[in-house]
Amino acid sequence: MTQTANHTPATETLPEELIRSIESWERPVIIAHVPPDADALGAMFAVARGFGSTGATASVALPEASLSQRLAFLHEWAEPRIAGVEEFAQADGFVVVDTAKKPRCNLPGGLPEEWNAGRRIVNIDHHASNTRFGDINWVVGDASSSCELVFHLLEVWARPVDELSASLLYAGIHTDTAGFSLPNTSGSALAAAAQLVERGARVTELGERLCRSQRLSEFRLLRIIYANTRLTPDERIAYSTADYREITDAGCAAADIDDQVSIPRSLLGTRLALLLTEGVRGKTRINFRGDAGVSVLALAKSFGGGGHDAAAGAILEGPIPEVLAQVLPQAERYLDDLG
Ligand SMILES: [Mn+2]
């Protein structure tokens, strides 16, 4: 692969085998994680559009209930072909983006357990905890987002990045860096974003849609999360909760739980923020966020979860009070050990 000034070091790690493999696919299915965020959706749709420009018939795995109200516009923009059981049966290969482990794949119902049945999986991701479950893995732990990686992929693959693909990819970089405010806002992330803007990414509309387009239902949920926010006595940990009743009474569903952990996280002096939500009755999802250099990945892993250093998650069986009673003391000990 030739190296040009536009390529970040991430491109140098792109396995040559990856493009050789996907080039021959005519009916690929593109998959991301559950619940899909803007990075997952943007990367998935942009990869599908890359295949579309070669004449291949790509479809995306996106069960309807898994799409949040806030991000439904990305789906409306991209108008992807949705993969059902039939598309999975006929697929000649799979691209999984932004997904740290295979069981996190957001799949339609009715698939056999071994859904890839010997067909190749290409795994493109920026989660440090990625288990390399693909047959070809391109995992760049210090990339800002999967969308940044997909942008480089499309460039090396010589697929057009039109105004719509640029917008989808920009959405992922914008969201995964929390509006270019997190430590993963690297030079390469900003350079990719700049190139996407030059290609016509809809910056103003995306800013409005992603940052200033709360539905009343989402607003009600935020009010609950503000009201439920607590601090530990030493104020190092801020946490909040929303149980099943609170989420549904607000008019929201499991798919609408996204980055609301930013509320407890926004308190001055917080080193570790937690959000515990019961989007699915009887299961507690925890979002972990670390600030001031606190990595939360090992903590999330101790509960069977995964993610990044600064942002990780886990899902535990049981109602919120039970899980909180277990997680909070462990999180305090974890901070004590970090010193
Ligand atoms: Mn991501």
Side-chain angles (χ1 to χ4, degrees):
M1 163 191 337
T2 54
Q3 195 185 332
T4 73
N6 284 340
H7 292 160
T8 65
T11 323
E12 291 166 28
T13 63
L14 202 168
E16 280 183 48
E17 195 194 358
L18 193 157
I19 288 177
R20 262 207 310 278
S21 187
I22 63 176
E23 252 168 359
S24 65
W25 294 353
E26 284 167 10
R27 308 189 64 84
V29 173
I30 324 302
I31 301 165
H33 64 80
V34 59
D37 56 17
D39 189 34
L41 293 171
M44 189 163 59
F45 298 158
V47 170
R49 299 190 83 247
F51 275 108
S53 68
T54 70
T57 306
S59 52
V60 304
L62 188 62
E64 207 172 316
S66 66
L67 193 60
S68 70
Q69 303 174 57
R70 197 169 59 86
L71 297 177
F73 76 95
L74 291 172
H75 175 264
E76 284 156 24
W77 284 7
E79 298 183 305
R81 182 191 166 100
I82 300 295
V85 174
E86 197 173 316
E87 282 75 14
F88 270 80
Q90 292 172 355
D92 42 16
F94 302 92
V95 180
V96 181
V97 293
D98 204 40
T99 305
K101 47 185 177 182
K102 200 173 173 189
R104 296 266 297 151
C105 285
N106 189 19
L107 302 171
L111 291 182
E113 194 164 335
E114 285 300 314
W115 49 264
N116 63 307
R119 292 161 295 177
R120 290 190 119 182
I121 295 177
V122 163
N123 171 13
I124 300 174
D125 190 24
H126 70 124
H127 290 85
S129 64
N130 190 292
T131 59
R132 269 88 175 161
F133 57 84
D135 299 289
I136 301 172
N137 301 287
W138 185 31
V139 179
V140 184
D142 58 4
S144 66
S145 53
S146 294
C147 280
E148 182 187 339
L149 295 174
V150 167
F151 177 47
H152 295 309
L153 170 69
L154 294 174
E155 296 260 274
V156 176
W157 189 16
R159 295 293 100 216
V161 178
D162 63 6
E163 170 261 337
L164 177 53
S165 288
S167 299
L168 296 165
L169 294 170
Y170 181 91
I173 300 177
H174 183 283
T175 306
D176 264 27
T177 57
F180 306 104
S181 73
L182 295 176
N184 62 348
T185 310
S186 60
S188 66
L190 290 166
Q195 290 179 55
L196 293 168
V197 171
E198 277 164 16
R199 285 158 197 248
R202 306 170 193 167
V203 175
T204 308
E205 195 177 351
L206 282 164
E208 278 173 23
R209 296 276 201 157
L210 295 170
C211 305
R212 297 180 291 280
S213 299
Q214 297 282 357
R215 281 154 217 266
L216 201 52
S217 53
E218 298 169 287
F219 201 84
R220 280 192 218 108
L221 181 61
L222 292 183
R223 195 152 59 196
I224 290 161
I225 291 167
Y226 271 108
N228 290 350
T229 297
R230 303 280 180 270
L231 281 166
T232 52
D234 59 15
E235 302 188 354
R236 292 183 303 173
I237 302 175
Y239 60 96
S240 188
T241 59
D243 65 20
Y244 183 78
R245 180 81 186 270
E246 289 170 314
I247 292 167
T248 50
D249 281 358
C252 289
D256 296 311
I257 307 298
D258 182 19
D259 192 45
Q260 291 89 348
V261 67
S262 62
I263 291 169
R265 187 188 197 175
S266 68
L267 277 163
L268 178 67
T270 297
R271 299 189 67 201
L272 204 157
L274 304 172
L275 177 67
L276 291 86
T277 50
E278 190 191 13
V280 177
R281 211 190 278 273
K283 283 187 199 290
T284 296
R285 179 177 158 201
I286 315 170
N287 293 105
F288 300 86
R289 296 292 184 273
D291 270 309
V294 172
S295 169
V296 289
L297 184 54
L299 182 62
K301 278 184 170 174
S302 72
F303 293 103
H308 310 279
D309 277 336
I315 296 174
L316 274 76
E317 295 290 333
I320 290 174
E322 208 173 272
V323 172
L324 188 62
Q326 184 188 347
V327 171
L328 208 50
Q330 196 158 324
E332 292 193 278
R333 277 196 300 276
Y334 182 77
L335 277 185
D336 289 342
D337 291 346
L338 288 180

